Amino acid sequence: MKKLILFFGLSPFLTAAVHAQSSVTLYGIVTANVTYSNNAQTAATANGGRPAGGAQVAQFDSGTSGLASSRWGLKGTEDLGGGLKAIFQLESGFSVNNGALGQGGTAFGRQAWVGINADRYGTLTLGRQGDTSVEFVSALSYGWYWGNLAIHPADYDNLNFTHRINNSIKYLSDSFRGFRFGGLYSVGGVAGNVTQNQVWSTGISYTGGAFAIAASIINARNPNTSLYGTNANASATGNNLGSAGSATAPESNPVIAGFASARTQQTVSVATTYTTGGAIFGVAYSNTQFRGLGSNPSLNTFNYSGSTTLSTVGASLRYQATPFLRFGTSFDYTEGGSVGNKGGAKYEQLNLGTAYSLSKSTEVYVTGAYQHASGTDSLGRPAVAAIGYLTPSTTNKQVAVSAGVKHLF
């Protein structure tokens, strides 16, 4: 009886001790901004085949044109002993405009994974997550200085984490003398052809003092499905890379929309930064090949064959002027997309941004971008400017400015 009394008397403390080994954290970003664009299409095939529209547009969005998109999530960890921890993360994007889910209505569209962390040996996770370019290269090539207006055209290299990898297994090492490495593999899930929709990627980074460098490669089979078709609203048979538009709808992602029939997409990216005082200087390069065009005949609207390449080289400067005020600027040059006797396109873009912290959790910001396009895009048409996730311009030039507020919790 004394033992029973002792057990029940101590049980609340024993329970507290067990729970002390586990934790769940609620976190998120709530952001809203007003974005101005000097030119936007309203249709794609009016006026003798040239896009119609061209009016100025001001719109309210939930960070998709600002510093960061709105999201909330849960992170959890449980100490298993012996240096092992069980971990998980669930993250959902949403719009403050109307409360709608992001990522095409996917409940935990940004991230959803579970795994094991082992001291000194790294982390193994399974689920919906980012590839190694997101883990290693993105932090050096993008940042909170100029935001989503500054993505490479159509985010074709996924350095802005537009596309998540479903059904994936990922390993990330711990840091060893400044080095980290990792790899990801996503099973295709197609009966009789396990490699049809597979995705694999690998990456490495090094940080030593003021210098940092990272590189990654990602290879996606049938990218229209395995890479671009992973959201809840993705088409099972249609083009998920973009659209040629219509007499009543504008183009979407004209930089890459014509390459949906590719058998394979492979992207190599590398970025480096050097920090001195409050300034960070950066250089980045990415190269994407769409191989085996025409492999999916139903998506080969333009009867392409062979392969095509897009590449971007960029330079950036980020400066922390005071503990509260920061500035950033970058310039990117993108070219490629030629197929057969169809010449490719060129895109030049200048980005600017500034943010002021009102507290540790809240800041106001202004970002801006100017893009100039030339040549022939993936739709076989004169290339039009297309900044960030905005509606493309009717001409080869586009200017966009975004101002908003971001709150972390």
Side-chain angles (χ1 to χ4, degrees), residues 78-102:
E78 179 188 10
D79 192 339
L80 303 175
L84 293 178
K85 294 180 181 178
I87 56 176
F88 77 88
Q89 185 169 3
L90 303 173
E91 189 172 277
S92 177
F94 65 92
S95 169
V96 298
N97 298 16
N98 52 23
L101 289 173

Side-chain angles (χ1 to χ4, degrees), residues 14-241:
L14 293 173
T15 302
V18 171
H19 283 292
Q21 305 303 312
S22 303
S23 66
V24 176
T25 302
L26 172 67
Y27 70 94
I29 299 174
V30 181
T31 182
N33 53 270
V34 175
T35 301
Y36 164 83
S37 173
N38 73 318
N39 188 302
Q41 295 181 19
T42 57
T45 59
N47 299 329
R50 295 190 61 82
Q56 301 178 25
V57 176
Q59 61 189 35
F60 181 77
D61 67 51
S62 188
T64 54
S65 300
L67 287 187
S69 301
S70 296
R71 70 200 68 167
W72 73 275
L74 297 169
K75 294 180 180 179
T77 180
E78 179 188 10
D79 192 339
L80 303 175
L84 293 178
K85 294 180 181 178
I87 56 176
F88 77 88
Q89 185 169 3
L90 303 173
E91 189 172 277
S92 177
F94 65 92
S95 169
V96 298
N97 298 16
N98 52 23
L101 289 173
Q103 289 70 52
T106 310
F108 290 104
R110 292 188 61 87
Q111 297 186 75
W113 52 259
V114 64
I116 298 291
N117 171 263
D119 286 348
R120 304 190 308 276
Y121 297 104
T123 301
L124 184 69
T125 54
L126 300 88
R128 177 180 171 89
Q129 48 198 328
D131 62 73
T132 54
S133 66
V134 174
E135 294 288 349
F136 294 104
V137 182
S138 293
L140 303 184
S141 58
Y142 285 102
W144 34 252
Y145 289 82
W146 43 83
N148 290 328
L149 292 178
I151 68 173
H152 295 164
D155 197 26
Y156 72 86
D157 48 20
N158 203 35
L159 289 179
N160 202 47
F161 201 10
T162 300
H163 309 291
R164 278 73 182 171
I165 312 301
N166 287 343
N167 311 311
S168 63
I169 304 168
K170 181 166 68 175
Y171 170 76
L172 296 174
S173 76
D174 283 355
S175 179
F176 178 72
R177 296 184 178 180
F179 285 96
R180 292 180 65 233
F181 62 90
L184 173 145
Y185 181 77
S186 171
V187 295
V190 178
N193 190 348
V194 295
T195 65
Q196 178 174 327
N197 294 330
Q198 76 171 12
V199 179
W200 63 264
S201 70
T202 184
I204 188 170
S205 67
Y206 171 75
T207 302
F211 175 75
I213 188 170
S216 175
I217 181 172
I218 175 172
N219 182 287
R221 296 280 186 90
N222 188 22
N224 186 65
T225 298
S226 63
L227 190 60
Y228 297 88
T230 60
N231 287 342
N233 66 341
S235 172
T237 58
N239 189 332
N240 293 313
L241 275 68

Side-chain angles (χ1 to χ4, degrees), residues 313-331:
V313 60
S316 62
L317 169 63
R318 319 170 203 186
Y319 182 65
Q320 189 78 42
T322 74
F324 309 101
L325 181 64
R326 60 180 182 269
F327 302 94
T329 183
S330 67
F331 178 81

Side-chain angles (χ1 to χ4, degrees), residues 286-311:
S286 66
N287 178 288
T288 292
Q289 296 179 354
F290 291 92
R291 301 170 177 171
L293 295 172
S295 295
N296 189 335
S298 65
L299 297 175
N300 195 18
T301 305
F302 304 99
N303 297 315
Y304 291 152
S305 62
S307 301
T308 189
T309 300
L310 287 167
S311 61

